[in-house]
Amino acid sequence: PAFGVPSSTFPGITSFQFSVSSVTIEIVRFVYESILDSLHMPNLQRFSLSIELLTDNGSLDEVQGINNLLRRLLPDPTVHPFLTTVTIDIQPPPSDSSPYIHVSAQNQEQPELIAIPLAKLPHVSSLSITTFGRLSFRRRGSQTKSNNLRELKIRDCPRIDVKGLRCVVQSLK
């Protein structure tokens, strides 16, 4: 793993919650990614990822950075074959707690499209998502179109309207 963080195996861990507040994409990428990479939990069944992300303006570069983070921070399915439940919560901090510009449902005509990487979730049957952007699902790197997803919860996603929900459903097909 990066930065010399030694790998450690924890067979007794079946549930893991990872939560960080008021961080930038770069901090998550360079600090927390290497920590998560070093944790091997072969019996992991439930994983929760909660990030309060500072954004400058919700630009396309930032959204691509969020999508890259999701691909990197979600557990590796070859190391975590029993992972069946995943919760993803990516939000900007409350608007009065940071000097950063906050993404709101009103400040852009084309809201961000946050891509959930299904290839990283082949064994997951229950997925819950909360985020500030629109959603889609990406199958890049997936060997097959089929997966075990049976339950999808989309919570507090202010940018998903009827059209956005159609896009979510279409991306799951």
Side-chain angles (χ1 to χ4, degrees), residues 70-138:
L70 281 174
R71 282 193 302 275
R72 291 176 172 156
L73 294 180
L74 290 172
D76 180 347
T78 61
V79 177
H80 306 95
F82 300 111
L83 182 62
T84 58
T85 303
V86 171
T87 301
I88 299 170
D89 182 358
I90 300 177
Q91 297 291 329
S95 59
D96 59 347
S97 68
S98 166
Y100 283 76
I101 297 170
H102 295 276
V103 178
S104 70
Q106 293 82 24
N107 73 354
Q108 292 180 348
E109 286 185 26
Q110 284 292 4
E112 301 82 4
L113 188 61
I114 295 175
I116 306 299
L118 287 178
K120 292 285 297 227
L121 306 170
H123 311 295
V124 171
S125 59
S126 178
L127 176 60
S128 178
I129 302 168
T130 304
T131 189
F132 60 86
R134 294 180 304 136
L135 290 175
S136 74
F137 292 87
R138 297 285 186 253

Side-chain angles (χ1 to χ4, degrees), residues 14 27 29 42 45 50 57 61 72 98 102 112 116-117 126-127 134 142 151 155 162 164:
T14 59
I27 298 238
R29 183 182 306 137
Q45 297 171 16
S50 178
N57 59 13
D61 286 342
R72 291 176 172 156
S98 166
H102 295 276
E112 301 82 4
I116 306 299
S126 178
L127 176 60
R134 294 180 304 136
S142 182
E151 177 183 28
R155 303 173 187 229
V162 172

